[in-house]
Amino acid sequence: MTGSIGTVIRTQNSFYYIVPQLDGDRFEITDKPPISCKLRGVFKKNREIVTIGDKVEYTLLPDGSGVIEKLLPRRSLMRRPMVANIDKAFLVFAAKEPDPHPLLVDRFLVLAEWSGIKEVTICFNKIDLVDEDVLLQLKERYERIGYEVLLLSAINSANIDELRNKLIDSISVFAGPSGVGKSSLGNAIDGELDLATGGLSDKIQRGKHTTRLARLMPVKVGGYIVDTPGFSSLDLTEIEPVELAGYFPEFRKHISDCRYRGCLHQHERTSDCGVKSAVETGEIDNIRYTSYLSILNDINEQLEKNKKYKWRKSNG
């Protein structure tokens, strides 16, 4: 059997586990085990990487295993961790324990924008631990930018139905720091997922890593979710400095007002920079602008390190 189309739901030890694809973008969600596949040698030769979420063409072998023949075009690619063809990103943070840090929230938002994910929702879990006025301030900050915000509690199931309904017929990724309750939310959505959960480290106030590998799992409402390992920081240094502002949605309409092409909105005079002018007038939140400068600084520092490394290498 040749020419079959499937989606990679898990990778482990050079094996790729695939579920068959039905008409269009619908998935076959059954109790059957996924098909265990290996890659053709041409993938290594061409240095092509296959990751979870990838749609592939494969050949089914007589023993029930398969061989991946071709990687089909991606509609999005999340790089940290690497997951392809995500329809929706749910960026999960705790309203408290650990407290949400604006820079970390903004880093995850940049990651989602950089990955080309069209629908991004910010989720604040553990709302049962926080006063309503604090929650409304959090919600307003990001809704003003244009992001949807869900206020959730895995403990008392607050707004879990709304979250569950957003997963239908989609590949959705749950990403965020450790200890914010991603696995607990997954279990609240679908108890059959039986995701391992961990508490918060009392010593460093960071989450205990309970998810080790990213994987794509079916949910009863239809569709798949990606449970990702949690992490406390993100490396965004592969982004080109001049492109970074475009990953802040509220910056975009002001970039055309900059006097100079390739403006980095950093050291330029405010009168010459549309973004800095918008920060001054309050159209762009100063906290968001501070996050932009922090990420830009990381990118520039990495570029300088790369230049020094290349110079040392070329000069022995």
Side-chain angles (χ1 to χ4, degrees):
M1 178 180 176
T2 60
S4 298
I5 305 298
T7 296
V8 179
I9 65 167
R10 182 164 58 93
T11 67
Q12 191 171 4
N13 299 330
S14 299
F15 285 92
Y16 298 80
Y17 297 87
I18 290 175
V19 293
Q21 195 89 21
L22 301 178
D23 296 337
D25 286 329
R26 294 188 302 119
F27 303 100
E28 180 183 42
I29 299 179
T30 70
D31 293 331
K32 298 177 185 176
I35 301 166
S36 173
C37 296
K38 298 284 283 186
L39 296 177
R40 284 284 183 211
V42 68
F43 282 89
K44 187 174 182 180
K45 181 180 177 181
N46 295 338
R47 297 183 177 180
E48 276 190 295
I49 296 174
V50 176
T51 189
I52 63 168
D54 269 327
K55 191 181 290 188
V56 297
E57 188 174 306
Y58 68 96
T59 299
L60 193 62
L61 302 178
D63 64 359
S65 66
V67 178
I68 296 176
E69 308 281 0
K70 182 180 180 182
L71 176 63
L72 300 180
R74 293 165 172 157
R75 58 182 178 269
S76 66
L77 179 65
M78 189 170 181
R79 296 165 173 84
R80 301 287 189 276
M82 187 173 282
V83 184
N85 298 319
I86 296 168
D87 300 302
K88 301 175 182 180
F90 296 90
L91 306 182
V92 183
F93 305 90
K96 190 174 184 180
E97 295 182 10
D99 294 345
H101 193 291
L103 175 57
L104 189 55
V105 176
D106 291 337
R107 284 181 175 273
F108 274 96
L109 288 171
V110 169
L111 171 65
E113 296 283 346
W114 180 36
S115 302
I117 301 170
K118 301 301 182 184
E119 189 172 330
V120 180
T121 301
I122 302 171
C123 300
F124 289 106
N125 187 28
K126 306 185 185 181
I127 62 171
D128 48 290
L129 302 178
V130 182
D131 292 337
E132 187 175 353
D133 58 338
V134 175
L135 293 173
L136 292 177
Q137 287 177 15
L138 276 174
K139 198 171 192 292
E140 183 185 357
R141 175 185 297 166
Y142 297 102
E143 285 183 337
R144 190 164 57 238
I145 301 167
Y147 291 110
E148 183 175 8
V149 178
L150 290 181
L151 303 177
L152 307 165
S153 174
I155 297 296
N156 61 29
S157 298
N159 298 321
I160 294 298
D161 285 343
E162 184 178 356
L163 176 59
R164 184 185 294 117
N165 290 336
K166 290 180 176 294
L167 305 178
I168 298 172
D169 294 332
S170 302
I171 293 181
S172 303
V173 65
F174 280 57
S178 304
V180 298
K182 295 190 303 298
S183 296
S184 296
L185 286 175
N187 290 334
I189 290 165
D190 185 341
E192 292 183 9
L193 294 176
D194 194 25
L195 302 175
T197 60
L200 196 68
S201 167
D202 291 332
K203 186 174 182 181
I204 60 174
Q205 283 294 292
R206 290 181 185 172
K208 300 173 184 177
H209 295 262
T210 53
T211 304
R212 300 298 180 186
L213 297 171
R215 50 187 175 149
L216 203 155
M217 302 170 294
V219 287
K220 286 186 289 188
V221 292
Y224 282 83
I225 64 171
V226 185
D227 184 37
T228 66
F231 29 89
S232 300
S233 61
L234 285 175
D235 181 7
L236 301 170
T237 55
E238 293 178 26
I239 297 175
E240 292 294 327
V242 74
E243 294 177 356
L244 177 61
Y247 300 130
F248 285 73
E250 71 273 39
F251 286 28
R252 292 171 192 156
K253 65 180 180 181
H254 300 289
I255 293 173
S256 59
D257 295 330
C258 294
R259 181 175 180 181
Y260 301 109
R261 187 176 180 182
C263 180
L264 292 181
H265 327 293
Q266 184 179 26
H267 300 305
E268 298 82 2
R269 292 186 305 177
T270 301
S271 59
D272 291 333
C273 177
V275 170
K276 291 181 72 173
S277 296
V279 174
E280 191 171 80
T281 61
E283 293 178 79
I284 292 176
D285 190 317
N286 190 62
I287 293 176
R288 288 274 288 171
Y289 179 63
T290 300
S291 293
Y292 166 80
L293 292 178
S294 177
I295 299 169
L296 181 64
N297 183 63
D298 290 346
I299 293 170
N300 286 330
E301 283 186 355
Q302 186 61 50
L303 287 173
E304 284 300 314
K305 288 179 183 177
N306 292 344
K307 286 179 184 177
K308 289 178 181 178
Y309 173 77
K310 289 178 182 178
W311 184 87
R312 288 171 184 162
K313 191 173 182 181
S314 62
N315 288 273

